[in-house]
Amino acid sequence: QERLVESGGDSVLAGGSLRLSCAASVLTRRYWCMGWFRQAPGEEREWVAYIDDSGTTRYTASVQGRFTISADRVKASLHLKMNSLKPEDTAIYYCASRIIDNFCYTEARRYDYWGQGTQVTVAS
């Protein structure tokens, strides 16, 4: 059983920055894919970004150029640096892992383990 713990959520003004972290022992494994998802009130969970064990990254169009996903295998931590935040980025952010192989997907159902989420609120 892998455990994921997010931190770093906060309330900021539009244009501000935040760095989310996810403590993830799965990063010490040989094969993995890690993703960030978010869920706004009344909305479905939305894929934000992913990174695989080779360092390949991908982002949803609405955050491309503003968000950066990274993974520190030594510290077993996943990060999401969020710049130029907009009110529409307001959501609970979740990290998720897939360890059966290192293929990454944008569908939440493809991921095996989830954190409890951290709230990001962006005020205009």
Side-chain angles (χ1 to χ4, degrees):
Q1 184 78 12
E2 297 289 348
R3 186 163 179 256
L4 306 177
V5 181
E6 301 97 335
S7 61
D10 205 344
S11 296
V12 296
L13 294 176
S17 298
L18 282 174
R19 185 175 184 250
L20 304 183
S21 297
C22 173
S25 60
V26 66
L27 289 171
T28 62
R29 291 174 176 260
R30 182 174 180 182
Y31 300 113
W32 48 263
C33 173
M34 296 290 300
W36 284 100
F37 290 76
R38 64 187 180 186
Q39 188 167 17
E43 302 291 332
E44 293 188 355
R45 193 165 295 191
E46 172 192 27
W47 167 71
V48 176
Y50 64 56
I51 184 170
D52 70 15
D53 53 68
S54 71
T56 299
T57 61
R58 186 182 170 194
Y59 302 88
T60 192
S62 62
V63 309
Q64 181 76 46
R66 299 190 296 123
F67 291 12
T68 303
I69 188 171
S70 61
D72 186 330
R73 302 186 78 148
V74 174
K75 296 183 178 180
S77 60
L78 179 74
H79 302 285
L80 185 68
K81 184 65 165 64
M82 305 185 294
N83 296 325
S84 302
L85 282 162
K86 304 175 181 180
E88 50 263 45
D89 295 318
T90 295
I92 299 174
Y93 283 70
Y94 299 89
C95 64
S97 68
R98 175 183 169 88
I99 60 174
I100 190 170
D101 54 41
N102 65 346
F103 294 112
C104 283
Y105 299 88
T106 62
E107 298 89 352
R109 63 182 178 86
R110 297 283 194 171
Y111 291 78
D112 309 302
Y113 299 101
W114 292 81
Q116 82 289 350
T118 187
Q119 177 71 47
V120 172
T121 303
V122 184
S124 58

